[in-house]
Amino acid sequence: NAGVTQTPKFQVLKTGQSMTLQCAQDMNHNSMYWYRQDPGMGLRLIYYSASEGTTDKGEVPNGYNVSRLNKREFSLRLESAAPSQTSVYFCASSEPGRTEAFFGQGTRLTVV
Amino acid sequence: DAKTTQPTSMDCAEGRAANLPCNHSTISGNEYVYWYRQIHSQGPQYIIHGLKNNETNEMASLIITEDRKSSTLILPHATLRDTAVYYCIVRPVSGGSYIPTFGRGTSLIVHP
């Protein structure tokens, strides 16, 4: 049982380049989330999707877009990467009303 | 959602019990206490949760005070692999559109 899978695990971008971070979960969860984590900081919510077909902004949405492609997949896109977006990105999923959130292993993104 | 307060860091000797406190003085009657941990470079991992009663599983024990304003996560025999950041969060009993929110947590260092 894979849980939450993120790709890629590592990425280096040049300023201005675009890329999409992929996330897929196999637990049939309705809710999915994208967080970023900077050194010494907690996780900050970028965007979330409460259910298939819906997305909402979190605490730090600027510079990002998301797509809830289907119930399994929730992607995060950087249209024009900036050095300030250098971070570790985590995807998570959960089932409303149920227990815990499950996290992927993270994508380490460096923008130079 | 209620806010939680945790010490920034703690340390513990290997083989001894690690007791990690959390203050959640504004918790309401319909909110659980959840604990997660994040081992370096990995995604957060669920440990345990509770509402009123003390809880124990294969990973840890959770002691919740009678007034529910604070709790303690206990790792009974800490190992070096328990070195991680531990997050205490509260979440509503009924999920709805709940979004997991993480603060900076407690950095636990287990030393030989």
Side-chain angles (χ1 to χ4, degrees):
Chain A
N1 200 354
V4 179
T5 302
Q6 291 183 233
T7 55
K9 288 185 169 53
F10 301 94
Q11 184 71 50
V12 178
L13 289 179
K14 293 182 178 178
T15 298
Q17 286 186 316
S18 62
M19 79 161 294
T20 299
L21 282 63
Q22 308 286 352
C23 175
Q25 52 93 8
D26 61 3
M27 295 169 283
N28 204 36
H29 287 165
N30 278 294
S31 298
M32 298 185 73
Y33 317 87
W34 275 105
Y35 296 86
R36 63 177 285 174
Q37 186 173 38
D38 301 306
M41 304 286 288
L43 287 83
R44 291 186 292 171
L45 184 70
I46 306 171
Y47 270 92
Y48 68 99
S49 170
S51 61
E52 185 179 356
T54 70
T55 61
D56 286 286
K57 294 178 180 179
E59 180 186 354
V60 288
N62 291 346
Y64 305 95
N65 285 300
V66 291
S67 295
R68 184 73 183 266
L69 304 170
N70 47 55
K71 193 172 186 180
R72 290 188 64 248
E73 298 172 290
F74 188 37
S75 62
L76 178 72
R77 182 161 178 85
L78 287 71
E79 290 292 351
S80 179
S84 60
Q85 294 178 304
T86 293
S87 189
V88 181
Y89 292 84
F90 290 101
C91 176
S93 71
S94 69
E95 188 62 23
R98 299 284 182 84
T99 55
E100 70 272 30
F102 292 83
F103 285 80
Q105 289 303 295
T107 295
R108 283 144 190 82
L109 176 67
T110 301
V111 183
V112 297
Chain B
D1 294 344
K3 183 178 177 180
T4 63
T5 304
Q6 299 177 253
T8 302
S9 64
M10 297 182 64
D11 70 284
C12 172
E14 188 178 19
R16 305 297 294 269
N19 299 298
L20 291 88
C22 179
N23 184 296
H24 32 80
S25 58
T26 59
I27 195 170
S28 65
N30 66 343
E31 289 182 314
Y32 284 111
V33 178
Y34 272 72
W35 284 82
Y36 290 78
R37 75 177 182 185
Q38 185 176 23
I39 295 172
H40 181 60
S41 300
Q42 297 182 19
Q45 175 193 24
Y46 164 81
I47 301 172
I48 198 169
H49 74 281
L51 185 61
K52 296 181 185 178
N53 300 322
N54 299 336
E55 302 287 345
T56 296
N57 62 21
E58 65 279 3
M59 292 181 69
S61 295
L62 175 61
I63 307 298
I64 302 174
T65 59
E66 193 170 339
D67 63 9
R68 302 186 70 242
K69 293 185 177 182
S70 65
S71 61
T72 301
L73 179 75
I74 301 173
L75 309 177
H77 305 288
T79 71
L80 299 179
R81 286 176 291 185
D82 292 322
T83 292
V85 177
Y86 288 78
Y87 299 98
C88 166
I89 65 174
V90 297
R91 65 157 292 172
V93 170
S94 57
S97 61
Y98 167 75
I99 300 167
T101 302
F102 295 79
R104 296 195 180 188
T106 296
S107 176
L108 175 68
I109 297 175
V110 181
H111 55 82

